[in-house]
Amino acid sequence: MSARVPTRADGAARPTRTDPPSSGSRPPFRSRFRFRIAGADLSASVTVFLIALPLSLGIALATGAPLQGGLVAAAVGGLVVGRLGGAPLQVSGPAAGLTVVTADLIQLYGWRTTCAITVCAGLAQLGLSALRVARSALAVSPAIVHGMLAGIGVTIALSQLHIVLGGSPQSSAVANVKGLPAQLADLHPGAVSVSLFTIVVLLAWPRIPGRGGRFVRKVPATLAAVALATSVAAVLGVGLPRVDLPSWRNHALPELPEGPVLGLIAAVLTVTLVGSVESLLSAVAVDKLVSMRKEPAVRIPRARLDRELFGQGSGNILSGALGGLPITGVAVRSSANVAAGAVSRNSTMLHGLWVAVAALLLVPVLDLIPLAALAALVMVVGIQMVNLVHLRSVQRNREMLVYAVTLAGVVFTGVLEGVAIGIAVAVAVALHRLTRTRITVAERNGVHRIKVRGQLTFLAVPRLSRILQEVPHRADSVVELDGSFMDHAAYEALHDWQTSHLAQGGTAEFTGRAGGRIAEPTTELHSCCRPWTPWRNHHCGEHPAAEPAVAEVSGASPSGAVASGVVSFGTASPDTASSGTGPSDTALSDTAPPDTAASSTAPPDTAPSSTGPSDADAPKHTPASAAPTPAPTGLPAAAPSAPPRNSTPPPDTSAPRVTQPHLDGRRRPVGGGPSSRQLASGISSFQRNTAPHVRDELARLAREGQRPSQLFLTCADSRLVTSMITSSGPGDLFTVRNVGNLVPLPGADGPHGTDDSVAAAIEYAVDVLQVQSITVCGHSGCGAMQALLNTPDVNGEPRTPLRRWLRHGQPSLERMKSKHHSWARIAGRLPADAVEQLCLTNVVQQLSHLRAHDAVARGLAEGRLELHGMYFHVGEAQAYLLADGSTTGSSGGGSEEVFNRVAPTPLEESHA
């Protein structure tokens, strides 16, 4: 129904519901421009501010910049980048990732020229944003990024170690290492004591146990460490260098850059590259944190990376112009913002406001902080940049060489040079892996096993062909492929050898490393509905015309049965070739999924089963004219050749046929129309692809009997596949389906007697099978509900069986029209039309009917039975569950009947 239909016959307004303002009315002037801030944003901004304040001062100290520069960058990062950036919950400001770069620039060009370089880097970021190349930054190998950050962290830790020990840092990481022995010989006890105290508090603060610990941990560890260290130093009267914030009147602003042009360009590129990559990676990480957050349940838009780059560029322009440090997205502050429950960009902007207020009003308090405490804080941050989780990930992906070279390059030569060295090594490693292929052959028990390790490209074809030719004629052979890529040349070499070897009486089998047979990917026509097997009414791609069924019921097919996970190798159908999908660039999988099967010599006109387990690689629909020559099970078949244009295609004599017994005792092919052939073809596909997987489980169920945990009562609509929308299988659900998912009241009868079929199923499920729950599932666009709405119930009118059955839905229609029941609705919106309103109301009403059955009433009273209401929106493929308060209450209107959206389960929870 395209128009919105009133959902109440009398049009009466409900006292508990207020209508939205009409389109013509406007709210008062003040309310339209009212600025609202959520309480979660306010509390999160305070948390982030308490983390950002000491870190900003510490990073400014580590770079050798004026300490106001760190506060300016933090304030601009919050107010400007927070407003203009594309990642709502990302917090920007001075970050440890640019500490080494900025320190080098200050030593080479001075502070004011460094500010001008920051402005130029911001302009470069605006240009990159206009070119929309933000996604390209993510193409850098993670090993290079993690190695760069780890190298920066090591450099920061080495420089701050000198301040922790009471000295001054040197100009480079190498000089800092060389100067350590002399520094250790001249320790400053006060600095060392305050630094160690800061480190202990920083590491121990998050681990304080007990109820008091939960309360104390609300204060960020960074603030607690610096505040306690400052208090201890002040109480004990330790003489240490402290923060010295000069008057804002003397704050240094940028000047025109002076120095060699190439050096200045390299400096701008370095700040742009490091700052952009770190910001974009941090934005992606924030998206992951937000997606895993369960509370608060507020939808946060995903990061728009080009807009984030625009925000970062704008922030760097203003920060440099005001005499601040370069700005990037900061992972530590961003993760704290997400963990604190922020729901919008207001939290980031407020944190910048608090930093600005502190920089203006809290200068006397900030001047009490010992520099040793800030140095200890930044040193710990630098050490933490060598992330062990990243290290394990790099090692698992065999990228340790790239990581180590990048880290060493950053430490010994600089950030830009180290990244360039890392990129060069990563390219060399990739080329080495692409060209290095190990091919070995061994004979065991008369079977020749050829093992191929690595990617199969044209460079490996000569060696591959030479080894394959060493396999004797008529020998059994297995080719084990352990790689993820095969180009056209390698495919043709394997296919030609296979054809020749089979013609000479040998056998050839292709497997993965674990021994499971593998194949080239099948056609992608139905990839939109994977992992489901395409069914007869599937319309994601074009379907060939249905052909007669092709499986012999009484015997095995000529090609034999196919084991689990076995698919064809080397056979391309003509429709695949025409679509541009051929044998080239073939991806190899180690083993097929356990619930996936296809025949290596699948009949060309077999339609997939409409029911059964997932089938990620469905059999191809190949016309009979292109049917390949049958080959032994699991072996590749020769590529089909197209018949002459005007020739008559030869009959498909290789395909087995479905037969049925006749009165004369002979078996004849199944005839009839297309529907009977589709039915036989689907059954044949089930016997070939699905039955081998479920036979053991069904045999167990046959021995032990059924033990379903749930009675699932739903509509007979063909679009509702209960096993699909509930991820269930054999033995899970005791399913009752009827028109309209109706539950007649006990003893409900009419002129034609009582209908006890549903009541019998309920009694059997509850008392005999001892199910633990009953679910009533309605759906959108229900034809029964449309009939109830559109067909008047005229007394004395002759009733058809359908009309007599639908009388059990009249209470739902009356409930929807009643003023004594609250509307059933979906959370967040009203029903789309009267049909959806009745579908939702019908679920609630049938749950009320269920409680009237004796078996259900006993189960509820004993606490061993639960009732659930469910609504499935077919067009959206989205399920909704009735809120718990509505499933256990009475049939009265005391509680609101709300259906909540069922969100996708995170992968780690689905495996639990």
Side-chain angles (χ1 to χ4, degrees):
M1 299 176 70
S2 58
R4 297 180 66 88
V5 181
T7 56
R8 291 190 176 273
D10 55 3
R14 182 174 305 280
T16 59
R17 185 179 295 110
T18 57
D19 294 329
S22 62
S23 59
S25 63
R26 286 190 175 184
F29 177 81
R30 292 181 180 177
S31 64
R32 281 190 290 142
F33 294 93
R34 187 177 300 166
F35 183 68
R36 293 185 175 91
I37 299 176
D41 283 334
L42 185 61
S43 61
S45 69
V46 174
T47 300
V48 177
F49 158 71
L50 296 177
I51 296 174
L53 185 64
L55 279 177
S56 301
L57 293 172
I59 290 171
L61 175 66
T63 60
L67 297 184
Q68 292 103 322
L71 299 178
V72 169
V76 172
L79 292 170
V80 177
V81 183
R83 179 65 185 89
L84 302 179
L89 299 189
Q90 173 158 272
V91 180
S92 300
L98 279 172
T99 301
V100 176
V101 176
T102 308
D104 291 341
L105 295 180
I106 293 175
Q107 289 183 356
L108 288 175
Y109 303 109
W111 169 241
R112 300 181 66 184
T113 300
T114 301
C115 293
I117 291 173
T118 301
V119 174
C120 295
L123 293 172
Q125 287 178 317
L126 292 184
L128 293 177
S129 172
L131 295 175
R132 298 187 177 278
V133 296
R135 289 282 174 187
S136 303
L138 303 181
V140 181
S141 169
I144 297 175
V145 176
H146 298 326
M148 176 191 74
L149 295 178
I152 292 173
V154 170
T155 305
I156 293 173
L158 290 174
S159 64
Q160 297 307 296
L161 182 58
H162 283 268
I163 302 178
V164 167
L165 298 177
S168 299
Q170 304 298 320
S171 59
S172 66
V174 177
N176 283 321
V177 173
K178 291 181 178 179
L180 263 180
Q183 187 65 59
L184 290 172
D186 186 20
L187 293 177
H188 190 292
V192 173
S193 301
V194 171
S195 299
L196 288 178
F197 180 79
T198 304
I199 294 173
V200 170
V201 174
L202 186 65
L203 298 179
W205 194 262
R207 298 172 175 81
I208 298 177
R211 183 176 303 175
R214 285 198 301 270
F215 177 77
V216 169
R217 287 197 299 270
K218 294 181 179 179
V219 179
T222 53
L223 178 67
V226 173
L228 290 177
T230 302
S231 302
V232 170
V235 170
L236 299 180
V238 181
L240 289 174
R242 300 179 187 272
V243 170
D244 183 15
L245 290 175
S247 173
W248 286 100
R249 297 176 182 177
N250 301 325
H251 182 59
L253 297 177
E255 64 180 4
L256 291 177
E258 295 182 0
V261 176
L262 292 179
L264 293 173
I265 293 175
V268 171
L269 291 178
T270 303
V271 175
T272 303
L273 171 67
V274 177
S276 300
V277 171
E278 186 173 359
S279 299
L280 296 176
L281 291 177
S282 176
V284 173
V286 169
D287 276 348
K288 294 179 181 178
L289 292 176
V290 171
S291 65
M292 292 186 296
R293 186 176 68 174
K294 296 181 179 180
E295 293 292 340
V298 178
R299 181 182 178 274
I300 306 297
R302 294 184 63 84
R304 297 165 56 187
L305 298 185
D306 290 305
R307 178 177 171 179
E308 178 63 23
L309 204 54
F310 174 82
Q312 296 291 334
S314 303
N316 275 319
I317 292 174
L318 186 58
S319 178
L322 296 178
L325 289 170
I327 291 173
T328 69
V330 188
V332 175
R333 288 169 234 178
S334 301
S335 60
N337 193 33
V338 174
V343 295
S344 72
R345 62 178 71 245
N346 290 337
S347 64
T348 303
M349 298 171 62
L350 285 174
H351 124 271
L353 178 62
W354 307 144
V355 172
V357 171
L360 295 174
L361 302 180
L362 298 182
V363 173
V365 177
L366 299 179
D367 285 344
L368 297 176
I369 301 175
L371 295 182
L374 294 179
L377 173 64
V378 177
M379 185 182 73
V380 172
V381 172
I383 295 174
Q384 290 174 344
M385 292 177 71
V386 186
N387 195 306
L388 295 181
V389 175
H390 294 163
L391 197 61
R392 285 193 292 267
S393 175
V394 168
Q395 185 177 15
R396 184 168 58 251
N397 291 280
R398 299 186 300 173
E399 297 284 346
M400 185 57 71
L401 177 62
V402 178
Y403 178 90
V405 170
T406 305
L407 188 154
V410 170
V411 171
F412 291 104
T413 63
V415 176
L416 189 62
E417 295 84 353
V419 170
I421 294 172
I423 292 174
V425 173
V427 171
V429 169
L431 291 176
H432 174 72
R433 290 175 178 172
L434 187 62
T435 58
R436 183 174 178 268
T437 307
R438 294 179 56 192
I439 306 175
T440 59
V441 61
E443 180 183 0
R444 186 169 57 185
N445 299 328
V447 178
H448 291 75
R449 303 188 66 88
I450 300 96
K451 297 183 179 181
V452 181
R453 300 284 185 270
Q455 319 313 317
L456 268 178
T457 65
F458 65 94
L459 298 173
V461 167
R463 196 151 36 99
L464 175 65
S465 300
R466 183 176 67 253
I467 292 179
L468 290 176
Q469 294 304 320
E470 296 177 0
V471 178
H473 300 330
R474 306 180 66 84
D476 296 332
S477 59
V478 176
V479 180
E480 182 181 313
L481 302 175
D482 181 14
S484 60
F485 176 79
M486 177 192 299
D487 69 2
H488 194 182
Y491 173 87
E492 290 292 344
L494 283 173
H495 189 273
D496 292 345
W497 169 80
Q498 176 202 32
T499 304
S500 173
H501 192 66
L502 293 177
Q504 293 170 355
T507 63
E509 180 180 324
F510 294 86
T511 71
R513 186 173 187 177
R517 299 179 187 176
I518 59 175
E520 63 170 323
T522 55
T523 177
E524 297 292 336
L525 288 178
H526 310 297
S527 60
C528 60
C529 287
R530 289 188 178 185
W532 277 82
T533 304
W535 49 93
R536 284 197 296 269
N537 288 332
H538 191 267
H539 292 294
C540 282
E542 296 180 0
H543 289 261
E547 296 292 335
V550 289
E552 180 69 34
V553 173
S554 59
S557 64
S559 60
V562 183
S564 171
V566 180
V567 285
S568 62
F569 180 91
T571 305
S573 62
D575 57 345
T576 304
S578 65
S579 64
T581 304
S584 61
D585 299 345
T586 303
L588 303 177
S589 60
D590 191 17
T591 56
D595 57 348
T596 304
S599 173
S600 59
T601 55
D605 52 356
T606 301
S609 171
S610 60
T611 59
S614 302
D615 191 357
D617 296 311
K620 296 180 182 177
H621 299 270
T622 308
S625 59
T629 304
T633 302
L635 302 180
S641 58
R645 177 170 300 184
N646 298 325
S647 64
T648 302
D652 184 8
T653 59
S654 64
R657 300 174 61 82
V658 169
T659 61
Q660 63 183 11
H662 283 242
L663 295 178
D664 57 3
R666 300 180 182 180
R667 305 185 68 85
R668 303 183 189 274
V670 172
S675 61
S676 63
R677 291 196 295 271
Q678 286 179 349
L679 176 62
S681 177
I683 297 172
S684 171
S685 180
F686 166 79
Q687 295 299 145
R688 180 181 67 253
N689 298 333
T690 307
H693 297 286
V694 300
R695 185 170 288 117
D696 292 342
E697 180 65 12
L698 290 178
R700 183 188 65 80
L701 290 173
R703 291 191 307 269
E704 300 176 0
Q706 61 171 324
R707 298 177 183 175
S709 60
Q710 184 174 156
L711 167 60
F712 197 85
L713 198 151
T714 188
C715 185
D717 193 296
S718 63
R719 296 167 296 179
L720 260 67
V721 184
T722 56
S723 59
M724 177 172 68
I725 63 179
T726 60
S727 299
S728 57
D732 292 338
L733 300 181
F734 187 75
T735 306
V736 175
R737 306 186 67 153
N738 59 51
V739 175
N741 48 276
L742 301 177
V743 181
L745 285 168
D749 55 5
H752 297 274
T754 303
D755 190 328
D756 286 333
S757 60
V758 177
I762 293 172
E763 181 181 352
Y764 184 78
V766 175
D767 291 342
V768 179
L769 297 179
Q770 298 287 314
V771 296
Q772 301 168 7
S773 65
I774 302 177
T775 299
V776 177
C777 176
H779 67 95
S780 60
C782 181
M785 299 301 105
Q786 294 181 31
L788 279 174
L789 277 174
N790 300 329
T791 306
D793 188 12
V794 180
N795 293 329
E797 180 181 343
R799 289 183 174 179
T800 64
L802 179 59
R803 291 286 304 278
R804 290 195 299 271
W805 170 254
L806 289 181
R807 76 184 187 276
H808 300 298
Q810 285 295 327
S812 300
L813 188 60
E814 296 169 1
R815 183 188 189 101
M816 187 182 78
K817 297 178 180 180
S818 172
K819 300 178 181 179
H820 305 292
H821 298 280
S822 58
W823 275 357
R825 63 179 180 85
I826 293 175
R829 68 174 177 88
L830 293 176
D833 50 35
V835 175
E836 185 173 67
Q837 176 71 77
L838 184 54
C839 292
L840 296 169
T841 304
N842 183 56
V843 172
V844 178
Q845 184 63 34
Q846 302 313 312
L847 287 172
S848 178
H849 288 184
L850 269 174
R851 297 185 187 95
H853 287 258
D854 292 339
V856 176
R858 287 195 304 271
L860 292 174
E862 297 170 2
R864 58 180 176 85
L865 186 65
E866 297 178 356
L867 301 186
H868 302 290
M870 176 177 168
Y871 176 76
F872 185 75
H873 195 293
V874 177
E876 299 174 356
Q878 178 62 56
Y880 299 85
L881 285 178
L882 185 62
D884 291 339
S886 300
T887 60
T888 58
S890 64
S891 60
S895 60
E896 192 175 17
E897 297 148 358
V898 180
F899 288 77
N900 296 319
R901 178 179 179 270
V902 180
T905 305
L907 185 62
E908 61 272 10
E909 293 184 12
S910 65
H911 288 172

